[in-house]
């Protein structure tokens, strides 16, 4: 390849021309060693061949500069003088109508955000540029950050909007095959399990290539040092509005509704935005429209907008942002962030929870964090408080309870009797008994967690110990379902209503039978729990015990004289079901208890007839010893007739 530098350039600015020639040589050396041809390159090449000006846009680390340089070298092969432009006036100065020239502009109008002084430098020569590219002898190839290109101030640079190649678009973004090829070129190895979602994949490959100490698989799984450096630069360069826009995404837990910026908002929300601005070194009175504009500029780099809601382009980016700002503006987040962020993203001490993006709060902020939880609780956000990840750590619960006990007695009572202000889920008739439930009182939540000390605290505040959840679960039921036996015993001693049923008309005794908790069954029966009651499907305790294979409980009930002839909602007794489904073990139990072998169902079918229909030979043999095989059903058919 012959690198062409125009005679005009060498004559007018020989030093500049020589410098460009040296730069192009470096580009070519790098290009020969480390370049992967991609569909984006082919698209840009086609566009510059057919158009007078092409602007390449992307986010950081995607490869716009590498693509720009490669295209410049290819155009040099086609006979173009390549002229690297650092100032707008250089295009007019070095333009030669008799020479094919390619003017190359990288980082057009700024790197991180639009540079107003650059805009002012380019605007006066827009007409000149249009005339230059109309002649078809000269072309302009520019590269520009997407957030700069999307700034409304950029609209005045019409030449650079005439043909745009967005390297993040579906038609141009790196394919998996291209990423694999790039990985193998830079790291000299086949890619292992890596995350392909990051737009800055080329930059990650380059960084790994340049730093042999990096563990490539780990780095590609967690490349956030790259993003950290990018956001740090925003702050260091004084681009506080962009920095604040990202922080607001964290404060509002990745759900920034457009209405927050263009509609009237309540004073509390306004204060949250102002506090975040202040934490990011912006004036408290910064216009919300300015912040929205910055979010728009960050679209496709960090941010996307769906259904009028701003959020990060993927969950990994939000994980990183939440952790990053948790280190930078922790106090602001504790005081102002959405409760969803508060309950999921911060720990007050080390625990078994393994997540690199959960921030550990320093000791000096512990009390502030607990006060924030108490404040949310007082506002009716009970579920958000007790679903906090810290509440599953015994040491934290002890600290939390100790703090509760320092509060005014009347305030403690108010908290204990505060209910969730959320509405119960509505279910269709099919989903009426969904396992999903909402525990709307502090006592219910404490029973779910299984903390006896917190349960005692709730009870000491005069709460209703039998108040149920939306699905009719009482505190004792919740404790039982979670396997907190000691807690259940404690509530029983406090005379909690053990016969209370949920919406399925199941009592705690029924649940114990279903799950085979023999000790609990004995304890409840000793307290004279109602063992004759059936659930909504007319299933008795005996049916439940049999259904779940709890033979010891079956014996316990039979010894108590339970009625095994009782029928379910389909009119079938245990003996009938045993014959119908061929359960000879179950039938033998009832035969020993003296079951009526001549019992009939609603169609006057005898037990023997039912067994014959199911071809249950063993049961037929058991019944033939005592059953009347000549008995006829409502269709006047006997067992002998059915067999024939």
């Amino acid at each position: 390849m012959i690198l062409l530098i125009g005679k005009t350039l060498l004559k007018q600015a020989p030093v500049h021309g020589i410098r460009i020639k040296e730069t192009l040589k470096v580009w070519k050396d790098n290009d020969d060693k480390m370049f992967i041809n991609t569909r984006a390159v082919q698209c840009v090449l086609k566009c510059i061949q057919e158009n007078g000006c092409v602007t390449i846009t992307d986010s950081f680390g995607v490869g716009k500069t590498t693509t720009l340089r490669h295209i410049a070298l290819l155009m040099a092969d086609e006979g173009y003088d390549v002229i690297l432009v650092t100032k707008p006036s250089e295009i007019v100065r070095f333009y030669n109508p008799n020479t094919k020239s390619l003017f190359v502009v990288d980082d057009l109008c700024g790197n991180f955000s639009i540079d107003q002084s650059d805009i002012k430098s380019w605007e006066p020569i827009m007409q000149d540029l249009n005339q230059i590219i109309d002649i078809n002898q000269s072309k302009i190839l520019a590269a520009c950050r997407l957030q700069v290109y999307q700034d409304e101030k950029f609209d005045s640079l019409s030449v650079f909007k005439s043909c745009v190649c967005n390297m993040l678009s579906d038609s141009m973004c790196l394919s998996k095959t291209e990423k694999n090829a790039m990985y193998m070129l830079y790291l000299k190895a086949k890619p292992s399990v890596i995350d392909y979602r990051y737009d800055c994949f080329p930059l990650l490959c380059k960084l790994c290539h340049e730093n042999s100490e990096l563990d490539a698989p780990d780095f590609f799984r967690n490349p956030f040092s790259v993003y950290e450096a990018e956001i740090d630069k925003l702050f260091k360069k004084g681009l506080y509005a962009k920095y604040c826009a990202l922080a607001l995404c964290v404060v509002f837990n990745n759900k920034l509704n457009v209405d927050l910026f263009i509609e009237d908002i309540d004073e509390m929300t306004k204060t949250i935005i102002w506090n975040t601005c202040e934490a990011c070194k912006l004036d408290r009175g910064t216009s919300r429209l300015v912040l929205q504009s910055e979010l728009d500029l960050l679209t496709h780099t960090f941010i996307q907008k769906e259904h009028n809601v701003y959020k990060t382009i993927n969950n990994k980016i939000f994980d990183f942002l939440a952790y990053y700002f948790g280190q930078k503006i922790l106090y602001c987040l504790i005081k102002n962030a959405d409760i969803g962020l508060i309950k999921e993203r911060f720990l007050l001490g080390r625990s078994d929870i393994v997540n690199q993006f959960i921030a550990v709060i320093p000791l000096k902020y512990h009390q502030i964090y607990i006060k924030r939880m108490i404040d949310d609780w007082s506002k009716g956000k009970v579920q958000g408080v007790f679903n906090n990840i810290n509440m599953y750590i015994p040491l934290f619960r002890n600290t939390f309870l100790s703090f509760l006990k320092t509060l005014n007695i009347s305030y403690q009572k108010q908290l204990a009797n505060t209910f969730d202000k959320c509405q119960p889920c509505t279910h269709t008739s099919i989903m009426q008994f969904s396992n999903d439930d909402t525990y709307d009182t502090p006592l219910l939540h404490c029973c779910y967690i299984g903390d006896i000390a917190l349960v005692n605290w709730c009870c000491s505040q005069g709460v209703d110990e039998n108040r149920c959840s939306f699905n009719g679960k009482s505190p004792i039921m919740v404790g039982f379902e979670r396997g907190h036996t000691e807690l259940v015993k404690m509530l029983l001693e406090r005379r909690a209503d053990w016969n209370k049923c949920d919406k399925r008309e199941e009592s705690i005794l029924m649940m114990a039978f279903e799950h085979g908790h023999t000790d609990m069954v004995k304890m409840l029966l000793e307290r004279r729990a109602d063992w004759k009651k059936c659930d909504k499907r007319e299933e008795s305790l005996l049916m439940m015990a049999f259904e779940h294979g709890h033979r010891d409980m079956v014996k316990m009930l039979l010894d108590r004289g339970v009625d095994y002839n009782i029928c379910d909602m389909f009119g079938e007794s245990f003996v009938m079901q045993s014959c119908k489904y061929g359960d000879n073990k179950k039938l033998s139990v009832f035969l020993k208890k003296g079951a009526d072998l001549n019992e009939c169902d609603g169609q006057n079918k005898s037990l023997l007839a039912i067994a014959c229909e199911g071809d249950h030979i063993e049961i037929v043999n058991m019944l033939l010893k005592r059953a009347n095989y000549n008995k006829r059903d409502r269709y006047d058919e006997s067992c002998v007739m059915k067999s024939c």
Side-chain angles (χ1 to χ4, degrees):
M1 177 188 289
I2 300 173
L3 298 175
L4 297 176
I5 303 297
K7 293 179 180 178
T8 304
L9 180 59
L10 289 172
K11 184 177 180 180
Q12 293 184 8
V15 175
H16 188 53
I18 293 170
R19 191 174 297 151
I20 289 177
K21 189 171 184 177
E22 291 173 348
T23 300
L24 292 177
K25 186 177 185 308
V26 173
W27 286 7
K28 184 179 184 307
D29 290 342
N30 290 334
D31 200 71
D32 289 343
K33 295 174 185 176
M34 308 303 294
F35 187 79
I36 293 290
N37 200 0
T38 66
R39 56 182 179 169
V41 171
Q42 296 304 312
C43 183
V44 174
L45 179 61
K46 185 174 185 293
C47 287
I48 195 63
Q49 288 170 338
E50 297 175 353
N51 297 275
C53 180
V54 173
T55 304
I56 307 169
T57 67
D58 69 5
S59 178
F60 71 93
V62 176
K64 67 181 182 303
T65 296
T66 302
T67 300
L68 175 136
R69 292 175 179 179
H70 181 76
I71 297 299
L73 294 172
L74 293 179
M75 295 299 283
D77 268 351
E78 294 185 12
Y80 281 83
D81 284 350
V82 177
I83 303 171
L84 309 185
V85 176
T86 56
K87 299 176 183 178
S89 58
E90 290 174 349
I91 296 180
V92 178
R93 178 185 173 192
F94 298 129
Y95 166 64
N96 184 345
N98 300 314
T99 305
K100 291 168 57 177
S101 302
L102 177 71
F103 296 97
V104 179
V105 188
D106 198 7
D107 287 329
L108 176 66
C109 292
N111 198 342
F112 297 97
S113 66
I114 199 158
D115 189 321
Q116 191 64 45
S117 62
D118 280 358
I119 293 289
K120 290 178 180 178
S121 298
W122 283 102
E123 282 177 340
I125 66 166
M126 281 296 105
Q127 189 173 353
D128 293 330
L129 296 185
N130 276 314
Q131 290 176 353
I132 288 172
I133 62 178
D134 277 346
I135 299 173
N136 290 328
Q137 282 287 85
S138 297
K139 296 177 181 289
I140 301 172
L141 180 64
C144 175
R145 280 286 183 96
L146 191 57
Q147 63 205 53
V148 171
Y149 176 81
Q150 292 178 151
D151 195 306
E152 62 182 11
K153 302 182 192 72
F154 196 89
D155 291 344
S156 62
L157 309 185
S158 56
V159 170
F160 296 107
K161 303 207 96 176
S162 58
C163 180
V164 180
C165 293
N166 182 357
M167 293 182 65
L168 293 176
S169 64
D170 291 340
S171 60
M172 293 182 65
C173 65
L174 288 173
S175 67
K176 187 174 180 179
T177 301
E178 290 169 346
K179 288 181 178 179
N180 283 337
M182 193 173 293
Y183 186 98
M184 287 188 282
L185 175 66
Y186 276 86
L187 280 79
K188 310 302 180 188
K190 289 185 178 181
S192 54
V193 181
I194 58 175
D195 196 330
Y196 290 95
R197 291 180 299 167
Y198 301 108
D199 293 330
C200 61
F201 191 89
L203 177 58
L204 301 183
C205 289
K206 182 174 182 291
L207 292 174
C208 266
H209 174 72
E210 293 173 349
N211 187 352
S212 58
E213 294 182 2
L214 284 174
D215 184 293
D218 283 346
F219 181 65
F220 274 84
R221 278 192 291 268
N222 301 295
F224 295 105
S225 58
V226 178
Y227 290 98
E228 183 176 17
E230 183 75 3
I231 299 174
D232 281 344
K233 287 177 185 176
L234 291 178
F235 190 79
K236 289 174 183 176
K237 287 180 174 287
L239 303 173
Y240 302 132
K242 276 189 175 58
Y243 190 82
C244 184
L246 292 174
L248 283 172
C249 272
V250 175
V251 169
F252 286 89
N253 204 24
N254 213 20
K255 293 177 183 176
L256 262 177
N257 197 293
V258 170
D259 291 346
L260 289 174
F261 303 100
I262 60 176
E263 302 288 344
D264 290 336
I265 55 176
D266 58 69
E267 286 301 316
M268 181 178 292
T269 305
K270 194 179 294 183
T271 300
I272 288 171
I273 294 174
W274 285 352
N275 289 345
T276 308
C277 286
E278 188 174 57
C280 297
K281 289 195 173 183
L282 277 180
D283 291 338
R284 287 178 65 85
T286 298
S287 168
R288 287 178 285 147
L289 293 176
V290 169
L291 297 171
Q292 183 187 17
S293 176
E294 296 297 347
L295 285 167
D296 288 332
L297 296 179
L298 291 166
T299 303
H300 304 308
T301 54
F302 285 97
I303 303 298
Q304 61 179 324
K305 185 164 73 170
E306 288 184 354
H307 309 298
N308 280 334
V309 174
Y310 292 103
K311 60 181 182 179
T312 57
I313 55 177
N314 60 54
N315 291 334
K316 283 278 190 180
I317 296 296
F318 182 71
D319 287 341
F320 162 70
L321 287 178
Y323 182 79
Y324 176 89
F325 284 105
Q327 310 301 310
K328 302 293 183 179
I329 55 170
L330 178 58
Y331 179 82
C332 174
L333 292 183
I334 293 174
K335 297 289 285 186
N336 299 283
D338 180 84
I339 190 172
L341 191 88
I342 294 295
K343 73 178 185 178
E344 294 173 350
R345 300 280 177 171
F346 301 102
L347 281 172
L348 268 68
R350 301 292 175 183
S351 77
D352 294 333
I353 299 172
V354 180
N355 188 326
Q356 71 178 108
F357 296 114
I358 290 181
V360 177
I361 295 179
L363 183 61
K364 67 178 181 178
Y365 290 121
H366 283 197
Q367 195 169 89
I368 297 171
Y369 185 87
I370 291 174
K371 284 181 178 178
R372 166 64 197 272
M373 290 178 66
I374 298 294
D375 184 53
D376 286 333
W377 184 352
S378 69
K379 294 173 182 175
K381 300 176 182 178
V382 180
Q383 190 172 168
V385 170
F386 284 91
N387 285 349
N388 189 300
I389 58 174
N390 290 283
M391 293 299 282
Y392 294 93
I393 303 171
L395 183 60
F396 173 79
R397 292 201 301 270
N398 291 339
T399 304
F400 187 75
L401 180 57
S402 296
F403 185 85
L404 273 177
K405 290 179 177 178
T406 66
L407 301 175
N408 182 280
I409 297 297
S410 61
Y411 190 35
Q412 289 187 50
K413 188 169 184 176
Q414 176 191 328
L415 290 171
N417 287 278
T418 298
F419 308 141
D420 260 326
K421 291 185 178 178
C422 59
Q423 294 298 315
C425 299
T426 55
H427 300 290
T428 64
S429 58
I430 296 174
M431 295 297 293
Q432 186 175 1
F433 302 127
S434 166
N435 287 329
D436 294 333
D437 206 351
T438 304
Y439 302 104
D440 67 337
T441 72
L443 178 58
L444 284 163
H445 284 289
C446 292
C447 288
Y448 182 88
I449 294 169
D451 192 299
I452 292 178
L454 276 171
V455 170
N456 269 324
W457 175 84
C458 287
C459 293
S460 68
Q461 305 304 320
V463 300
D464 182 355
E465 296 169 16
N466 294 309
R467 180 183 169 91
C468 296
S469 69
F470 292 129
N471 276 358
K473 302 281 187 188
S474 66
I476 196 170
M477 287 180 186
V478 172
F480 171 78
E481 287 182 337
R482 295 292 295 172
H484 305 312
T485 306
E486 293 303 314
L487 188 149
V488 172
K489 288 180 180 177
M490 185 201 81
L491 289 173
L492 286 173
E493 289 169 2
R494 295 185 66 91
R495 299 192 177 279
D497 186 355
W498 53 76
N499 285 320
K500 198 172 184 68
C501 296
D502 62 13
K503 288 186 178 179
R504 293 178 294 187
E505 295 187 14
E506 280 194 5
S507 66
I508 186 173
L509 182 59
M510 292 178 186
M511 294 176 187
F513 268 93
E514 280 185 23
H515 298 286
H517 294 303
T518 307
D519 291 340
M520 184 66 67
V521 167
K522 289 179 179 178
M523 185 167 60
L524 290 167
L525 290 177
E526 286 171 3
R527 284 174 165 76
R528 299 188 179 183
D530 186 358
W531 52 274
K532 296 180 181 180
K533 187 175 177 62
C534 296
D535 68 7
K536 204 164 189 174
R537 296 173 297 175
E538 296 299 325
E539 279 198 3
S540 66
L541 294 178
L542 187 60
M543 290 178 181
M544 293 176 190
F546 259 122
E547 186 179 328
H548 293 89
H550 305 313
R551 302 289 177 180
D552 53 341
M553 292 186 178
V554 170
K555 185 177 184 305
M556 189 188 305
L557 288 170
L558 290 174
D559 290 344
R560 282 179 170 264
V562 70
D563 183 4
Y564 49 81
N565 290 313
I566 193 169
C567 296
D568 63 13
M569 64 189 298
F570 302 106
E572 293 181 345
S573 69
F574 276 111
V575 182
M576 290 178 191
Q577 289 177 359
S578 302
C579 296
K580 183 177 181 179
Y581 298 112
D583 193 335
N584 55 316
K585 289 183 179 179
K586 187 187 292 185
L587 181 62
S588 64
V589 172
F590 296 127
L591 291 179
K592 289 177 183 177
K593 288 289 181 180
D596 182 4
L597 298 186
N598 292 310
E599 180 186 7
C600 296
D601 66 7
Q603 296 179 331
N604 205 34
K605 286 181 184 176
S606 67
L607 299 179
L608 186 58
I610 293 171
C612 285
E613 284 184 351
D615 291 329
H616 303 307
I617 306 301
E618 284 188 46
I619 289 182
V620 169
N621 289 331
M622 290 169 65
L623 294 173
L624 279 174
K625 296 175 183 178
R626 287 186 284 172
N628 180 7
Y629 49 80
N630 289 314
K631 190 174 181 65
R632 295 171 182 259
D633 61 17
R634 63 188 296 183
Y635 302 106
D636 202 31
E637 290 182 346
S638 68
C639 296
V640 178
M641 291 177 181
K642 290 180 183 292
S643 301
C644 294

